[in-house]
Amino acid sequence: MPGKFELYKDKGGKVRFRLKAANGQIILASQGYQTKLSAKNGIGSVQRNAADDARFERKSSKGKVMFNIKAVTGQVVGTSERYDSEKSCENGIKSVGTNAPGAKIEDLTA
């Protein structure tokens, strides 16, 4: 089973997406968007940029490591969880590259 994007509304009414791996683990989450169309455009950006390592910004803080994926414009379109090691973080990036391009979108906003 391939990965999938889930579109959902947060408690504040904004539309967000998350990318889940085939095992159901969340590998990437978005910011809040005003519209479903904007969130879908964010998903498209993740799909287009997932294969380009230069689009991933790695960060570390307080012994934890995480990454952002950025659009060509430099805007952050997705953020990972915090990992305990750089190796785990790199595995997360690899998982985005594997799962995002062909992932279907499941709309949970209704």
Side-chain angles (χ1 to χ4, degrees):
M1 177 174 126
K4 67 179 178 180
F5 284 97
E6 290 181 341
L7 270 177
Y8 67 98
K9 282 193 177 175
D10 66 18
K11 291 177 183 175
K14 293 199 176 187
V15 182
R16 295 178 179 266
F17 65 82
R18 56 188 163 231
L19 174 61
K20 287 187 168 183
N23 65 5
Q25 181 178 356
I26 298 170
I27 24 183
L28 194 70
S30 76
Q31 64 181 20
Y33 293 91
Q34 294 296 328
T35 67
K36 194 184 298 189
L37 179 60
S38 295
K40 285 183 175 181
N41 287 340
I43 290 171
S45 181
V46 171
Q47 290 176 316
R48 287 188 302 277
N49 291 293
D52 186 351
D53 189 67
R55 297 283 168 245
F56 289 91
E57 173 189 45
R58 290 129 171 113
K59 293 181 155 193
S60 61
S61 175
K62 299 179 183 175
K64 300 283 186 176
V65 193
M66 53 84 64
F67 64 86
N68 291 318
I69 184 169
K70 293 185 170 187
V72 176
T73 61
Q75 179 182 355
V76 173
V77 289
T79 301
S80 73
E81 65 176 296
R82 297 193 178 278
Y83 297 97
D84 290 327
S85 70
E86 287 183 26
K87 183 177 184 343
S88 295
C89 183
E90 292 302 320
N91 286 341
I93 290 170
K94 183 187 268 184
S95 185
V96 170
T98 300
N99 286 283
K104 301 291 183 215
I105 300 172
E106 184 176 345
D107 189 344
L108 306 174
T109 61

